[in-house]
Amino acid sequence: MKKDTSAKLMSVGLKVTPNRLAILEVFSSDCRPINAEYIFQKLQGQNINLVTIYRTLSTFEEKGILRFVNVHTDSAHYELAEHHHHHLICKDCGVIEEISICNKLLDKDALSQSKKFNFIESHSVEFFGVCKKCEA
Amino acid sequence: MKKDTSAKLMSVGLKVTPNRLAILEVFSSDCRPINAEYIFQKLQGQNINLVTIYRTLSTFEEKGILRFVNVHTDSAHYELAEHHHHHLICKDCGVIEEISICNKLLDKDALSQSKKFNFIESHSVEFFGVCKKCEA
DNA sequence: ATTCAGGTGCAAAACATTTGCATCTGAAGA
DNA sequence: TCTTCAGATGCAAATGTTTTGCACCTGAAT
């Protein structure tokens, strides 16, 4: 729904623009960690600049719409913050499998050991291995 | 002990060189995630090339001596694989606090949900927030 | 002492990401 | 509906990290 995405933007004080809606749409239709270049490819033909994508990703992350995901590669990957799950990543081919062991207790445990932090905003849990295909 | 580090290199089939020993020493004396540039600074005066550091980090990671750490910044950070702990990272100033909630059960949980992997080699658990200093 | 795969330095390239600046546009107010 | 302007965007260029090609060097096995 375009209404949902517009509302999401306005609720964090961002202007609703075609570029932003398009980028959010890519994230909605493709729910796995993606990078700027991928979005750029997907939006070829609708006249959007790669720089704008970088700026938008960064803005969205600040506003809590997107979450940075460590896929252990060259480029920065993001996914919708509302899709809170973790990833199993193949060191060989880079395939990503999503799992949902999200454990709120983790944050609590971590915080209880911390001396320098009062609260935790987010966490990132990624597993690395070699997938069955690459293993063969 | 230089013997330990030499042995570590040989055990994974790498030649023992002054550069590699020096790099390992930096990691031993400074046990937190560091990047190539930092090592380069530390080893100023002993005639080591930045390129060599990049190559060495990459080699060490492949061999399981180092582990890549997602500190959510520009450059790639690593730490000794044997130092297995996790990190609380400040989104503002980048300060890193180490914690030790390492939980082997995590791997088990993750694997039990996976269809594409037979085993997990390593995991990465990082927490993000704003530290007390930056909060003030 | 010889040999050679693997390690290193140097220069240059490749790549992801950021920045400066001019222009445009969403949306708030008249 | 029209005006206004902070914020959004495009373009070109810069920045910073990491990689690569190539010639030379060196550890360690024989």
Side-chain angles (χ1 to χ4, degrees), chain A residues 61 68-73 76 78 117 122-124 126 128, chain B residues 27 31-36 38 67-79 85-98 124-129:
Chain A
E61 199 210 350
F68 177 92
V69 179
N70 165 28
V71 297
H72 197 330
T73 62
Y78 297 85
F117 288 76
S122 66
H123 62 232
S124 151
E126 268 75 49
F128 301 98
Chain B
F27 275 100
C31 46
R32 65 200 168 87
I34 57 182
N35 62 10
Y38 177 86
R67 196 159 47 91
F68 176 91
V69 179
N70 165 28
V71 297
H72 198 328
T73 64
D74 40 10
S75 61
H77 285 62
Y78 297 85
E79 69 180 0
H85 40 218
H86 303 305
H87 308 93
L88 245 155
I89 299 160
C90 176
K91 283 185 158 185
D92 255 35
C93 68
V95 70
I96 301 175
E97 184 177 10
E98 309 206 322
S124 153
V125 180
E126 268 75 48
F127 299 87
F128 301 98

Side-chain angles (χ1 to χ4, degrees), chain B residues 3 6 23 34 52 62 64 90 119 124:
Chain B
K3 272 221 171 125
S6 294
I23 292 175
I34 57 182
T52 300
E62 261 172 38
C90 176
F119 66 95
S124 153

Side-chain angles (χ1 to χ4, degrees), chain A residues 68-116:
Chain A
F68 177 92
V69 179
N70 165 28
V71 297
H72 197 330
T73 62
D74 40 10
S75 62
H77 286 61
Y78 297 85
E79 68 180 0
L80 285 177
E82 65 199 37
H83 289 176
H84 193 71
H85 40 218
H86 302 306
H87 308 94
L88 245 154
I89 299 160
C90 177
K91 283 186 157 182
D92 255 36
C93 68
V95 70
I96 301 175
E97 184 178 11
E98 308 205 324
I99 52 177
S100 52
I101 59 154
C102 178
N103 193 341
K104 292 283 174 196
L105 292 177
L106 273 182
D107 286 357
K108 221 181 196 176
D109 277 13
L111 204 50
S112 73
Q113 282 188 54
S114 170
K115 289 175 182 170
K116 297 185 179 172

